[in-house]
Amino acid sequence: MDIVNKKLKKFVDALPIPEILKPLRKYKDESYYKVQMTEFRQKLHRDLRPTRLWGYNGQFPGPVIDVQRGEPTHVKWENKLPDKHFLPIDKSFHNLEKLPEVRTVTHLHGSQSKPESDGYPEAWFTRNFRDTGPQFKNKVYHYPNHQRGATLWYHDHAMGITRLNVYAGLAGMYIIRDEREERLNLPSEEYEIPLIMMDRSFQDNGELFYPSQPDDPQENWPNPSIRPFFIGETNLVNGKIWPYVEVEPRKYRFRILNAANTRTYQLFLDSGQSFYQIGSDGGLMRKTVKLDNLAVEPAERLDVIIDFSKHEGETVTLKNDLGPDADPDDETGDVMQFKVTLPLTSVDRSRIPRYLTRIPSLSENKVQRIRNLKLVGSTDKLGRPLLLLDNKKWMDPVTETPELGSTEIWSMINVTNFTHPIHIHLIQFQIVDRQPFDLNRYNQDGTINFTGPAKPPHPNEKSWKDTVAAPAGQITRVIASFGPFPGDYVWHCHILEHEDYDMMRPMKVIETDKWE
């Protein structure tokens, strides 16, 4: 069936606000949640039939889990999904033909959790835990929540089908709050709104459309065959296509998450207003940064304030800059609308602070190791695109083995021709710099010839991060201290099509006597 050939009217559906999940009870004197992954139908646009989806607790996106720093939580993630997938699975790699078709494992992205609660790709499980992967350890996950207040998110991480499970709807937001944030008098309660952005394509009957092959498949490629990327034809926010939200003429705080498979958003407001970014992946930044546009890679989070006080009665559109060469028929230059039509209910006493928090620089630490890691393009035995980290596949032996408590610099050398958002599990890191080199020269003789000086991170990147944009033809350096737990983790590109095949590597944090 073809993708939708009728144009969907924009800004006709109100923005849903995801509900906050309440704990069921105490478990070992800590909050306990039960979250079920189920199949259901949900109406994503006024003019579309309800769409078949998979989601957490029957919602797309899943409910927000909202916790306090230092208050641990236990979550039992239960798979109640059908045994057959409704999206096209390529079983030609990672021995997927030998595994159950529908497998899930939830990763809390940005969380400092022990390995058995991290959502390791091979810790998957099927409906009612009938089958489990080789790394499966426990049914109930434990999240210490000892880290700084931050916007995290949870999503599926099953080996080889993450792109499909997330596309089907398995994603949601997780917020850790702390006292520092509460003392800043930021917009709060109904004036703090999560914005979970993603793109999707649809069939005429309202069902999700995900291509079964790349755009230019060769005769010897299997069908289905994994794609190197996916870009959808519509933008969704909080599970609605091009929604609107009514706001008061006052300041609002928006926690923005890019939950798309591949798409990077370049956000701006058509009113000419600025964003005031106060936070990033790992929580509050050192100081507020005023920006006219926001670049947000897949899996990145931005915490921003928008002030509507001078726009009473106006409609402000959140736009996505598609660049000068965009297809004129591409409608994804629009994201959502803010209608400043609600009356002011009370005096707005919230603030946009200049200074937010202190972030110690890891550059003062003793660096135990510098790793040079190449992001490379290749082809598999069938001639299909294959993207790798340091020319190694998932199945190759572990090579990244930082010692517990040690500080390392990872230099990511991108010799492909596009940006990769690189995510490292367990830790929050700091970006050191990026330095451009002659990519054409490298492709000719393998020489790294720098074409400019190393540049510090953008002002809104000078904070704790767990996902970094590593642009083409540049060396992106990050510095991190590895902990607080030892064990098996992963690092990977967060373009989900890349992560599934084969741009993900195991990482083992080694416990030694030296750091005790």
Side-chain angles (χ1 to χ4, degrees):
M1 185 171 290
D2 293 331
I3 54 179
V4 167
N5 52 32
K6 61 180 180 182
K7 290 196 174 183
L8 296 172
K9 191 171 178 61
K10 297 178 181 177
F11 317 126
V12 296
D13 289 293
L15 176 78
I17 308 299
E19 71 171 49
I20 295 176
L21 189 64
K22 303 297 182 187
L24 294 177
R25 54 183 170 82
K26 292 292 184 178
Y27 177 88
K28 298 180 180 178
D29 293 324
E30 297 171 0
S31 296
Y32 173 77
Y33 299 82
K34 184 185 288 186
V35 181
Q36 294 188 340
M37 293 164 257
T38 61
E39 181 173 289
F40 54 93
R41 289 190 174 273
Q42 185 172 314
K43 201 164 175 61
L44 306 182
H45 187 276
R46 182 193 68 184
D47 300 329
L48 277 183
R49 296 176 190 172
T51 301
R52 174 163 57 165
L53 298 164
W54 289 358
Y56 296 100
N57 281 5
Q59 300 169 54
F60 169 64
V64 174
I65 299 178
D66 195 317
V67 302
Q68 291 292 322
R69 179 180 184 178
E71 295 184 4
T73 58
H74 293 264
V75 182
K76 185 177 184 182
W77 304 100
E78 294 186 328
N79 183 337
K80 299 292 183 181
L81 295 166
D83 293 331
K84 299 291 289 183
H85 216 297
F86 69 93
L87 295 174
I89 296 179
D90 179 354
K91 299 181 180 180
S92 67
F93 60 93
H94 290 329
N95 297 317
L96 297 187
E97 76 282 358
K98 299 178 181 178
L99 301 181
E101 185 163 302
V102 175
R103 315 173 302 283
T104 60
V105 59
T106 303
H107 168 55
L108 179 52
H109 183 120
S111 172
Q112 296 176 342
S113 307
K114 289 184 177 180
E116 60 267 25
S117 296
D118 184 61
Y120 197 82
E122 292 179 336
W124 52 262
F125 52 95
T126 62
R127 183 181 178 93
N128 297 328
F129 302 101
R130 285 195 302 250
D131 291 306
T132 58
Q135 290 279 0
F136 179 86
K137 298 288 197 305
N138 46 287
K139 295 180 180 179
V140 178
Y141 277 24
H142 179 251
Y143 302 117
N145 301 323
H146 286 156
Q147 62 205 84
R148 305 163 77 246
T151 304
L152 311 183
W153 67 300
Y154 59 94
H155 62 84
D156 187 73
H157 213 286
M159 172 62 65
I161 55 171
T162 295
R163 70 195 183 284
L164 303 177
N165 288 352
V166 173
Y167 191 78
L170 291 172
M173 189 174 282
Y174 188 110
I175 298 172
I176 300 176
R177 301 185 183 276
D178 63 22
E179 293 180 357
R180 173 63 188 170
E181 191 178 293
E182 292 167 0
R183 289 198 297 265
L184 291 173
N185 195 24
L186 303 169
S188 61
E189 297 180 350
E190 66 264 42
Y191 307 112
E192 177 190 329
I193 299 176
L195 299 178
I196 302 172
M197 300 177 182
M198 59 190 73
D199 57 348
R200 297 288 187 270
S201 291
F202 295 91
Q203 300 175 12
D204 282 329
N205 62 358
E207 297 300 320
L208 286 175
F209 174 80
Y210 189 92
S212 62
Q213 289 192 307
D215 295 335
D216 53 349
Q218 306 300 305
E219 286 186 8
N220 64 325
W221 292 1
N223 189 3
S225 183
I226 189 168
R227 296 172 58 85
F229 62 88
F230 172 84
I231 299 293
E233 295 196 327
T234 66
N235 286 320
L236 289 80
V237 186
N238 295 357
K240 285 291 184 184
I241 301 171
W242 292 307
Y244 71 87
V245 62
E246 291 186 283
V247 297
E248 300 177 21
R250 63 186 298 153
K251 294 184 287 295
Y252 280 75
R253 178 183 185 181
F254 296 100
R255 294 178 182 261
I256 298 173
L257 159 64
N258 181 354
N261 281 32
T262 297
R263 181 186 293 274
T264 296
Y265 286 96
Q266 304 282 347
L267 302 173
F268 67 98
L269 297 165
D270 70 347
S271 58
Q273 288 170 261
S274 297
F275 303 96
Y276 296 88
Q277 186 174 342
I278 59 172
S280 183
D281 300 342
L284 292 175
M285 305 191 303
R286 289 187 177 92
K287 58 184 180 180
T288 300
V289 177
K290 184 179 179 181
L291 297 163
D292 292 331
N293 52 69
L294 296 172
V296 54
E297 295 282 338
E300 284 190 309
R301 286 87 68 209
L302 305 178
D303 199 342
V304 304
I305 295 174
I306 302 176
D307 188 355
F308 298 105
S309 61
K310 296 179 181 178
H311 297 270
E312 185 173 1
E314 298 178 18
T315 296
V316 177
T317 303
L318 181 63
K319 306 279 285 186
N320 176 32
D321 187 353
L322 299 176
D325 300 322
D327 183 340
D329 293 328
D330 189 338
E331 296 193 278
T332 58
D334 290 318
V335 179
M336 63 174 293
Q337 278 189 343
F338 304 100
K339 298 183 178 181
V340 194
T341 51
L342 295 178
L344 191 64
T345 56
S346 61
V347 176
D348 182 8
R349 302 190 186 281
S350 65
R351 298 175 55 240
I352 304 177
R354 182 177 179 187
Y355 296 101
L356 297 163
T357 191
R358 178 180 174 273
I359 298 178
S361 174
L362 293 181
S363 62
E364 299 175 4
N365 291 11
K366 179 182 178 182
V367 175
Q368 273 73 37
R369 181 157 184 172
I370 297 174
R371 298 181 190 269
N372 295 313
L373 303 160
K374 288 182 181 177
L375 318 182
V376 302
S378 182
T379 56
D380 67 9
K381 60 186 179 182
L382 298 178
R384 297 182 298 179
L386 180 64
L387 291 146
L388 302 172
L389 297 171
D390 221 29
N391 273 315
K392 296 179 182 67
K393 298 181 179 181
W394 167 257
M395 299 296 185
D396 291 332
V398 182
T399 49
E400 284 66 64
T401 55
E403 294 179 350
L404 181 65
S406 68
T407 299
E408 296 192 355
I409 290 177
W410 288 22
S411 296
M412 290 172 276
I413 308 163
N414 187 352
V415 299
T416 73
N417 58 3
F418 42 81
T419 297
H420 296 276
I422 300 297
H423 171 47
I424 307 175
H425 285 217
L426 176 66
I427 60 168
Q428 295 285 335
F429 52 73
Q430 293 171 5
I431 303 172
V432 178
D433 54 32
R434 296 182 179 92
Q435 188 166 11
F437 61 90
D438 187 335
L439 188 55
N440 290 330
R441 171 77 179 274
Y442 177 86
N443 288 330
Q444 289 172 6
D445 59 17
T447 301
I448 297 287
N449 183 33
F450 290 114
T451 56
K455 296 181 180 179
H458 302 300
N460 64 329
E461 293 182 312
K462 295 179 179 179
S463 57
W464 292 110
K465 296 278 292 169
D466 56 48
T467 306
V468 61
Q474 295 189 35
I475 297 179
T476 301
R477 297 197 302 157
V478 303
I479 185 170
S481 289
F482 286 84
F485 306 113
D488 295 319
Y489 297 92
V490 299
W491 67 288
H492 58 87
C493 175
H494 220 287
I495 293 174
L496 300 185
E497 285 73 16
H498 297 177
E499 170 184 342
D500 274 345
Y501 186 59
D502 205 4
M503 209 171 188
M504 178 166 63
R505 290 285 294 140
M507 173 183 78
K508 192 175 189 70
V509 180
I510 305 294
E511 194 166 16
T512 66
D513 294 338
K514 188 193 307 186
W515 304 107
E516 288 183 353

